[in-house]
Amino acid sequence: MRAVELVAAVLLGAVTLLVVASTLGRYVFALPVPDSFDFSRLLLGACLAWGFAVIGLRGGHVQVDIVAQTVSPRIRRAIDALAWAFLLCFAVLVAWKMFGRVDSARISGETTFDLRIPIWPFLGLIWAGIAASIVTISIKLARIIMGHDQVESSEDMDFKEVTRGIR
């Protein structure tokens, strides 16, 4: 599953380099990078999609612990499973709609503005990130249901990261 994190990291690095190169090119050398707007928005979408898949791995989505901390571990596991099931349903719907968008861009021949590069491969990269999130969320949900995993509060995660020397 480290591959999911690696893809997300590479995409984030690529979009960062593109934005820096575009900014320097435009304001320092008066030479903008062609299609930098299209590439940056498509790569940013891919970053978000693959970051969503990383959430499935790590369980770092936004959560409210007020109710979960006051109930028994069994009820908390049921609440966590319900929340992850909703997240899975959301991911499936997004993947379905994104697949339709990929197909639409491919059939219509939609391209970038300057260089006329087809955008469907970039949209496919976004779809692949959402598809990967379905897998990671499903695994996390199964682990929660079987009792092998639990969703920790953000304070617990911060404490563990500090004690392991990550932060």
Side-chain angles (χ1 to χ4, degrees):
M1 288 299 182
R2 293 279 183 217
V4 172
E5 293 173 326
L6 181 64
V7 171
V10 167
L11 287 170
L12 187 58
V15 77
T16 301
L17 288 174
L18 178 62
V19 168
V20 168
S22 176
T23 302
L24 287 175
R26 177 174 289 128
Y27 295 112
V28 175
F29 303 110
L31 184 66
V33 175
D35 278 332
S36 62
F37 175 74
D38 285 331
F39 290 141
S40 62
R41 73 182 173 91
L42 291 166
L43 286 174
L44 190 56
C47 284
L48 291 171
W50 283 92
F52 191 53
V54 171
I55 287 173
L57 281 175
R58 298 197 172 262
H61 61 83
V62 175
Q63 59 190 15
V64 179
D65 293 333
I66 295 170
V67 174
Q69 288 181 346
T70 62
V71 297
S72 70
R74 184 174 172 215
I75 294 175
R76 180 169 183 167
R77 188 169 66 223
I79 292 170
D80 289 343
L82 183 65
W84 281 89
F86 277 125
L87 186 62
L88 180 60
C89 289
F90 173 76
V92 168
L93 289 173
V94 170
W96 171 56
K97 294 304 285 181
M98 194 67 219
F99 187 79
R101 179 67 179 99
V102 172
D103 197 40
S104 169
R106 186 185 56 77
I107 290 170
S108 70
E110 192 173 344
T111 62
T112 60
F113 186 75
D114 294 331
L115 300 175
R116 301 289 181 212
I117 296 172
I119 68 164
W120 71 264
F122 294 98
L123 295 174
L125 186 61
I126 295 170
W127 175 82
I130 299 299
S133 73
I134 291 171
V135 173
T136 59
I137 292 167
S138 296
I139 292 169
K140 183 74 165 184
L141 178 59
R143 290 185 55 79
I144 289 170
I145 290 170
M146 291 185 295
H148 297 301
D149 207 348
Q150 67 177 8
V151 179
E152 299 179 46
S153 70
S154 58
E155 292 172 0
D156 292 341
M157 283 191 270
D158 289 343
F159 179 73
K160 285 182 180 179
E161 287 178 358
V162 168
T163 56
R164 288 190 337 224
I166 295 175
R167 280 194 182 179

